[in-house]
Amino acid sequence: MTRIERIDVQMVDLPPAAVRVDAMQSFVKQETVLVTVHTSDGLSGTGYSYTIGTGGRAVMSLITDHLVPALLGRDARPVEALWRHMLDQTRATTVGAITSLAFAAVDTALWDLRGRRTGESLWRMAGGAHERLPVYDTEGGWLHLPVEELVDGAKRAATAGMCGVKVKVGRPSLAEDAERLAAVREAVGAGFEVMVDANQAFTSAEAIRRARTYEPLGIAWFEEPLPADDLNGHRRLAASTSVPVAVGESLYSVQRFGDYLAAGAVGIVQVDVARIGGITPWLKVAHAAEAFNVAVSPHFLMELHVSLAAAVPNGMYVEHIPQLRAITRSSLVIEDGHVAPPDVPGIGIDWNPDALDDHRVA
Amino acid sequence: MTRIERIDVQMVDLPPAAVRVDAMQSFVKQETVLVTVHTSDGLSGTGYSYTIGTGGRAVMSLITDHLVPALLGRDARPVEALWRHMLDQTRATTVGAITSLAFAAVDTALWDLRGRRTGESLWRMAGGAHERLPVYDTEGGWLHLPVEELVDGAKRAATAGMCGVKVKVGRPSLAEDAERLAAVREAVGAGFEVMVDANQAFTSAEAIRRARTYEPLGIAWFEEPLPADDLNGHRRLAASTSVPVAVGESLYSVQRFGDYLAAGAVGIVQVDVARIGGITPWLKVAHAAEAFNVAVSPHFLMELHVSLAAAVPNGMYVEHIPQLRAITRSSLVIEDGHVAPPDVPGIGIDWNPDALDDHRVA
């Protein structure tokens, strides 16, 4: 038995380097909650989750008030049982974002610990399906940028060897969205993927109308076209267009993904390891998607998702948004438009203690 | 313009008088978060929400960190716009229990304020469909009680003139559940409703099997038979049995209720005004249910739900669990098995400041 002896919880803020504006929000903070679990055999593992600016202290409260007391003294090894135990302690606060983010930081720490104990990387523990995966870029595609900058961003991503670029949509008129996308397509040529992301801006009817204009541009996917919870809207949209419907960053339970898969409402699953509640449920979603012949291209959290997406056969692309640069000594290398998962024990993130001290807010 | 000038937030703990055990949990705390909104015209309104023991501090954090700053200085009157503004501030923490509970306390305070400003009761503002509604009892039906106490509890509810009693199910064997229900049915006779509540204990297959044994007993509904998020399971169960499927206390968005209604997965909507995020979304769920010819019998929070259930044409029963007795000077009167909504300005709850002081934990 390797008993959980101490759990440290802290929060750092990692403001994005550039302003980010999409159809729903702009954000200037990234509260990053870190949990470190120490065990009786002298090991420790660290996990994390994030907010885009609201709820960090609520996540901290759930962890310190309820999860830490529920875990101290327990065997750290059976992560599925521990996840279930966390759920039992907090059931009436689930389903939901805040609770999932709290679970995720703890669950990821337990996986890190498992890898450090057994000497295996997360990528291998979780399946090890691919040695590397292609990367696409999001940093140059924000909604507030004028079309010239959008085109420049796409060209930069292409020059950097990435496989594609994501462009935010949701400008007031369909014509303006279409014009911006056409300019990007013309600049990058046919052999480069262009994804679009509406950040939940549309009604189903409007999304169906806009999707038709994306089809001739060979758009790779239409991300978060509708309020994430609108199952029937996604089903209707997916049935109406040849553009794959990408959804999942704002779904908070394995069962919810089951609904979308069963309804044919999702073409590309974008499950987010923090928002789904950790690695334990993330893998279930990926495996469920495989059962439906649906690919997984996870949302954000590149440093962790590279290991998870590469671990499963249906892993597709990794989204390039370096999030942890300021607080880690490790970094991912993009070669030939691809990124390889770290193959060191645990989740493969080398935290920088001094930098954590500098960024700590709680 | 009646400007929001100050918002007070506090939390009291109201431990249940009796131990409560169901198929999923037992609980000994009721964290009750209260929000009072003060406006420039000298009025104030108070709303509240609750947890069953976990997450109270997280709810408080969301309110004080994000909702209060977003609301101060605004016109208190347009509650729909204010609800949407709260959502915009915290979108990436939604959907979910913690965020909904935070919204609910604020939204309910704004409705209380609206009623106090206009001189109308919540019941009238929300529609005023019924002058009174029948009441059923839950206090005598807990899962840990031996069958004799269960029977006594049901008899007490019948003697008190209530219309029915809710009995928890989910004992290990189907036979034991059936035996307990048969004893209750025999004790109360045919003219009294018996509801059963599994608190999400079963798989769909097991729920279908158990429901068949409830049918000959004339059970009024089968509440939370499955994990609340299992849409397809509820749909299959509802299609398989004549016992109405009651669900909703653990659903956290209007859209989610839309899914259940569209799928025929719910026979009785049990939307909870705290967990759905306040009166504003509660009414939308009730109205959507009406569009599907589905009744609403809300979960818990009797003191507030009596006004809401009586306000809408499809309001059905009120669940009798006095929750606020220790901290209020008002109380609901049951007459002839029915309860009438308060007809005073606002939500009709007369808080006791001294008692609030005594129970305050934050």
Side-chain angles (χ1 to χ4, degrees), chain A residues 27-75:
Chain A
F27 40 99
V28 294
K29 287 174 74 176
Q30 274 181 140
E31 298 164 313
T32 303
V33 175
L34 291 103
V35 168
T36 302
V37 176
H38 304 270
T39 50
S40 55
D41 48 10
L43 294 172
S44 68
T46 297
Y48 66 107
S49 62
Y50 73 102
T51 82
I52 57 171
T54 52
R57 214 159 63 95
V59 173
M60 295 276 286
S61 293
L62 270 186
I63 295 172
T64 55
D65 292 356
H66 306 300
L67 304 187
V68 169
L71 294 172
L72 285 175
R74 292 191 172 245
D75 186 345

Side-chain angles (χ1 to χ4, degrees), chain A residues 24 52 54-55 57-58 61 64-66 89-97 229 231-232 252-253 256 259 262 275, chain B residues 24 52 54-55 57-58 61 64-66 89-97 229 231-232 252-253 256 259 262 275:
Chain A
M24 277 300 168
I52 57 171
T54 52
R57 214 159 63 95
S61 293
T64 55
D65 292 356
H66 306 300
Q89 298 304 306
T90 57
R91 185 174 296 265
T93 73
T94 65
V95 173
D229 220 25
L231 172 63
N232 284 308
Y252 296 97
S253 78
R256 197 70 178 124
D259 293 345
R275 293 181 177 176
Chain B
M24 278 298 167
I52 58 171
T54 53
R57 215 159 61 95
S61 292
T64 54
D65 293 355
H66 307 299
Q89 298 304 306
T90 58
R91 185 174 296 265
T93 73
T94 64
V95 174
D229 219 25
L231 172 64
N232 284 307
Y252 296 96
S253 77
R256 198 68 180 126
D259 294 343
R275 293 180 175 176

